Amino acid sequence: MRILALEDDAEDWMLLQAYLRNMKLPEFPHFDLERAASLAEAERSITAAAFDVLIADYHLPDGDSLQFLAEQLRTHPHLYVLLVSSDEQLVTRPEVGELLRSRRVSFCVKSDLDLDRLRSELRASALFSGREPGSASLGQLKILQIDDDPAEREVLEWHCEKIRDVKLEVDWVSNSRDALQKISEETYDLIIVDYRLGGELGTDVIDLLNAHGVHSNIVLCSGTSLFLSSKEALRCLGHQRASFISKSRLDEARLRQALRI
């Protein structure tokens, strides 16, 4: 796998190198990592060689990377992009939200980018490069879906069935009351919360889950394209109460990322 890191910070570059030295993925026995400290350097690198993944800092010395990344996605159909930034609220900007609507783009706050998160991102990239995830069994994981539309459960279960190296069990509830009952009875690896739940907002449900000491990984879902620029998104995602997946992008790759597998 060829990876180009658009990163001008020497410490972040050294940390990324350390993560990849300790990375073990069956589908990627070898990582070829290069660095570009500016957009101009990145342009020269991509002209000279083909890359599978771009790990791109949002802020670079010669400008922000959004336009550059959008152009690379248009011209390289198998490219996967991980956008990183120290700004937790970057994801709520409309121009960033537009880029994130691509299934081949993910976002991570720099402080959250550790070995496990990087591993899940690289596994997700395999789906777009034509490689299949490893076949080793990962056991059983449990997901709680909080959504008032029963059809969404069928969609989620369909995606779960495509992940063959781990057994995923899905429980479904339509409101916060039933969700609290479920989490009092079971331990979940992932909780997926719809943004609009009848008379409730998913952001309020996430606040409630946190108030009850829930330690599961939580993902907020929305089918509303303007959600990422809303005040609710800023409040919920900016304080790292949950990550976000657009319903149109909820697939095997995003589930693997959310479950860290």
Side-chain angles (χ1 to χ4, degrees):
M1 169 182 275
R2 291 183 64 90
I3 303 172
L4 179 63
L6 281 64
E7 180 58 71
D8 64 326
D9 187 287
E11 291 186 4
D12 288 335
W13 166 241
M14 291 176 63
L15 188 60
L16 182 59
Q17 289 178 297
Y19 286 151
L20 288 174
R21 281 196 300 269
N22 292 285
M23 184 79 65
K24 294 181 180 179
L25 288 174
E27 58 268 52
F28 299 122
H30 174 70
F31 295 104
D32 185 1
L33 177 65
E34 296 183 26
R35 178 192 182 193
S38 66
L39 294 174
E41 287 185 23
E43 184 71 49
R44 290 193 292 270
S45 295
I46 288 179
T47 300
F51 293 91
D52 301 295
V53 177
L54 299 184
I55 301 176
D57 194 352
Y58 175 75
H59 294 287
L60 292 166
D62 46 353
D64 74 63
S65 59
L66 291 187
Q67 185 175 349
F68 175 83
L69 296 176
E71 178 60 28
Q72 302 312 313
L73 289 165
R74 281 193 295 270
T75 56
H76 300 86
H78 299 293
L79 184 67
Y80 186 85
V81 170
L82 173 59
L83 179 66
V84 297
S85 174
S86 299
D87 183 0
E88 299 174 357
Q89 299 178 5
L90 183 70
V91 71
T92 64
R93 297 183 184 180
E95 64 272 23
V96 177
E98 180 65 29
L99 186 70
L100 290 174
R101 275 194 274 276
S102 168
R103 295 175 63 246
R104 294 185 286 134
V105 181
S106 185
F107 172 79
C108 184
V109 177
K110 278 193 174 183
S111 59
D112 291 340
L113 186 59
D114 55 15
L115 183 61
D116 289 338
R117 176 62 186 268
L118 185 58
R119 181 184 292 110
S120 70
E121 295 289 353
L122 296 180
R123 289 182 68 91
S125 76
L127 299 175
F128 301 103
S129 64
R131 298 177 176 91
E132 291 293 331
S135 58
S137 175
L138 298 173
Q140 178 172 319
L141 301 175
K142 295 202 68 170
I143 299 173
L144 176 62
Q145 183 181 36
I146 309 173
D147 197 309
D148 58 348
D149 184 355
E152 295 295 339
R153 179 179 185 175
E154 297 180 10
V155 173
L156 178 60
E157 289 180 336
W158 182 75
H159 288 308
C160 287
E161 289 173 359
K162 296 171 66 179
I163 301 178
R164 296 173 183 157
D165 51 350
V166 59
K167 182 179 180 181
L168 299 177
E169 182 179 340
V170 178
D171 286 340
W172 176 84
V173 295
S174 61
N175 56 65
S176 61
R177 183 189 67 253
D178 292 343
L180 291 177
Q181 179 63 37
K182 279 289 186 183
I183 64 174
S184 70
E185 301 168 349
E186 300 281 354
T187 298
Y188 292 96
D189 301 282
L190 174 66
I191 300 176
I192 300 176
V193 185
D194 189 19
Y195 173 54
R196 295 196 179 277
L197 291 163
E200 299 180 285
L201 287 179
T203 46
D204 294 331
V205 174
I206 290 171
D207 287 341
L208 187 62
L209 294 174
N210 279 278
H212 279 74
V214 173
H215 298 294
S216 308
N217 189 21
I218 301 175
V219 168
L220 184 66
C221 273
S222 176
T224 304
S225 60
L226 297 178
F227 171 78
L228 284 173
S229 60
S230 69
K231 291 182 179 179
E232 290 86 356
L234 179 64
R235 179 171 65 85
C236 185
L237 306 182
H239 291 84
Q240 297 186 7
R241 293 189 179 96
S243 56
F244 175 78
I245 298 177
S246 171
K247 283 192 174 182
S248 63
R249 298 175 65 222
L250 182 59
D251 57 14
E252 179 186 352
R254 300 306 168 207
L255 281 173
R256 284 187 175 277
Q257 288 175 332
L259 288 162
R260 302 290 192 265
I261 59 174

